[in-house]
Amino acid sequence: MTNADQESWVRVKARLRAEVGDDVFSSWFARMDMESLDEGAVRLSVPTRFLKSWIQSHYAERVLACWQAEQEAVGRIELIVRSAVIKTTVQAKPKAELTVTAADNAGRVASSTAASRPMSAGDPGAHEALGGSPLDARLTFDSFVVGRSNTLAQAAAKQVASARQGDPVMFNPLYIHAGVGLGKTHLLQAITWAGNAAGERKVLYLTAEKFMYGFVSALRTQTALAFKEALRGIGVLVIDDLQFLQGKSTQAEFCHTLNALIDAGRQVVIASDRPPSELESLDDRVRSRLAGGLVVEMGALGEELRFEILKARVQAARSHHPSFDVPLPVLSYIAKTVTHNGRDLEGALNRLLAHNKLTGQSVTLEMAEREVRDLIRPQEPKRVKIEDIQRVVARQYNVSRSDLLSSRRTANVVRPRQVAMYLAKTLTLRSLPEIGRRFGGRDHTTVLHAVRKIEGLVGNDMALAEEIETLKRQLQEQG
Ligand code: ADP
Ligand code: MG
């Protein structure tokens, strides 16, 4: 590389900085180096794979344009990950180990060095060795629309993402639960992107399946120790879809990991489709540890929020398809009729986009009605919670919730308790043992008895049947 090339590089960086601003520049480009300039191809290196993929997907064209403004002959940019191993250990390690590249030594780096030194932020080796799950570049805080149902969850997530190494941990674990398609994965990946971009703490995003797979396969290849050590080098561990975590040994390991991380002041973030109290297969200690941090529920996407999400989506789509336009009445129509599930919103827009692209017809209300017909919300039964059942039943019969959970057997408590158990069985998907546990640790046969008892009674007792119908309606209608 000539001096002239070096000087060009300095000017390209200045140009880039002027274009994107100081903040963006220092987040993404401060650690970018030039390696070579050959026959119109500029080779640039960055320290992590994360930076590489981010720059590739967001700034590749811009970087190229800056180069072309400097040297017309530049036709191509090549981004590579420079090997941290070579730079940091060149004196200490024997030569044989130095020749492996960052790409193929990922596993070995973690297993050979994790025990002796903390992992550096954004170290791709760790992510690979631990089976870090792939991230979707679109799932960031910028694209996450905040509304009534998710304000708290978003604020907590931002707080976690922006905390620095050594800051006191405010809520640990942060546990977010919500139904399908309500933004859990979006928020978790946003934390991962933002946390890793800040570069200070290593954030590892794993689905529960990846956690299981990573651990099980690590056991098989007898690198469990390395796996554990590597996990402990993590600043923030993010686990998605915890409800899928299965198997006794996986759970035991999850429990150890959780305790080790929390005790070491590392942040843990978890998403699940249900609250900790309803994770049936986890043992009590884990459950209470999970409940001991901040538990936040995200509710259904309200119509207003759906509208805002759609608007943002159309905006985003327009950057690739400038001619794509969706009139506001069409957006309102979709927001009003399509289900609460964020995935269906995305699906609805994709169909309009496809139709628009393939036929060249502009998007109209009629087209929308035709295209999204099957995504229209049926009257979904609400998710009823056992706590709500207990609360509503207790109020109805003028007893306290703790009476329902207690072992008292007086008639004024026994009947309401049976009614509540019956409702829990008919209005939720919880199993008999789970319901028993939630009613003061009763046996599943007690629950079964209660359910049969009430079923028998409502056949003959009109007043009771009506009472139960009223309770059901209350539970299903409450917002
Ligand atoms: P979950 O993991 O809870 O099932 P996802 O995070 O996968 O749901 O969300 C489903 C879809 O809805 C994704 O495309 C996501 O980007 C979108 N989505 C959900 N909530 C929001 C939000 N508040 N702002 C923007 N997009 C959202
Ligand atoms: Mg998800």
Side-chain angles (χ1 to χ4, degrees), residues 259-266:
N259 287 334
L261 289 171
I262 293 178
D263 293 342
R266 312 294 169 71

Side-chain angles (χ1 to χ4, degrees), residues 391-401 403 412 416:
R391 191 171 42 75
V392 167
V393 169
R395 194 175 54 204
Q396 171 77 19
Y397 293 99
N398 208 10
V399 295
S400 71
R401 189 166 160 256
D403 284 336
N412 71 321

Side-chain angles (χ1 to χ4, degrees), residues 130-144:
L130 297 167
S133 304
L135 298 174
D136 182 336
R138 293 169 307 172
L139 303 182
T140 63
F141 282 121
D142 280 345
S143 61
F144 190 85

Side-chain angles (χ1 to χ4, degrees), residues 77-298:
I77 301 285
E78 215 181 294
L79 275 174
I80 60 165
V81 179
R82 44 173 188 274
S83 167
V85 182
I86 292 177
K87 298 232 155 159
T88 57
T89 61
V90 73
Q91 279 97 6
K93 295 271 172 179
K95 192 147 178 65
E97 267 184 64
L98 298 178
T99 54
V100 273
T101 65
D104 61 31
N105 71 356
R108 256 169 293 162
V109 173
S111 57
S112 64
T113 58
S116 54
R117 84 179 153 82
M119 216 171 297
S120 67
D123 186 337
H127 209 262
E128 301 262 310
L130 297 167
S133 304
L135 298 174
D136 182 336
R138 293 169 307 172
L139 303 182
T140 63
F141 282 121
D142 280 345
S143 61
F144 190 85
V145 184
V146 182
R148 212 171 30 152
S149 58
N150 60 25
T151 310
L152 183 58
Q154 191 263 5
K158 277 213 132 163
Q159 157 71 38
V160 162
S162 66
R164 304 184 158 244
Q165 198 82 50
D167 279 0
V169 178
M170 289 181 66
F171 12 77
N172 214 2
L174 169 60
Y175 186 108
I176 298 172
H177 67 101
V180 172
L182 301 184
K184 299 182 296 293
T185 295
H186 192 143
L187 214 45
L188 259 49
Q189 295 207 1
I191 293 175
T192 311
W193 284 118
N196 278 329
E200 265 211 47
R201 296 192 302 176
K202 164 89 194 143
V203 185
L204 180 70
Y205 171 86
L206 293 173
T207 59
E209 277 164 317
K210 284 276 181 179
F211 182 87
M212 293 188 279
Y213 174 76
F215 187 66
V216 170
S217 64
L219 273 182
R220 260 185 220 135
T221 54
Q222 299 186 323
T223 56
L225 187 64
F227 176 78
K228 284 186 207 171
E229 284 304 331
L231 253 190
R232 290 183 184 131
I234 303 284
V236 184
L237 178 66
V238 178
I239 297 190
D240 202 354
D241 286 325
L242 187 70
Q243 72 274 9
F244 294 134
L245 196 75
Q246 281 161 359
K248 272 273 166 275
S249 65
T250 314
Q251 289 189 7
E253 189 52 33
F254 171 71
C255 183
H256 288 149
T257 306
L258 191 69
N259 287 334
L261 289 171
I262 293 178
D263 293 342
R266 312 294 169 71
Q267 179 75 53
V268 177
V269 181
I270 284 164
S272 170
D273 68 351
R274 61 198 76 172
S277 56
E278 294 181 21
L279 284 167
E280 300 185 24
S281 60
L282 285 189
D283 77 44
D284 287 334
R285 278 173 313 151
V286 187
R287 245 198 309 266
S288 67
R289 186 103 216 202
L290 290 175
L294 178 66
V295 177
V296 196
E297 177 170 19
M298 289 197 288

Side-chain angles (χ1 to χ4, degrees), residues 24-32 46 50-51 54-55 59 197:
V24 172
F25 186 89
S26 55
S27 303
W28 304 113
F29 302 110
R31 292 185 289 163
M32 183 149 119
V46 287
F50 166 72
L51 272 177
W54 184 268
I55 293 172
Y59 294 105

Side-chain angles (χ1 to χ4, degrees), residues 444-461:
H444 74 277
T445 52
T446 311
V447 183
L448 186 61
H449 172 74
V451 173
R452 296 226 168 109
K453 177 89 190 166
I454 299 298
E455 274 170 357
L457 286 175
V458 291
N460 308 317
D461 185 339

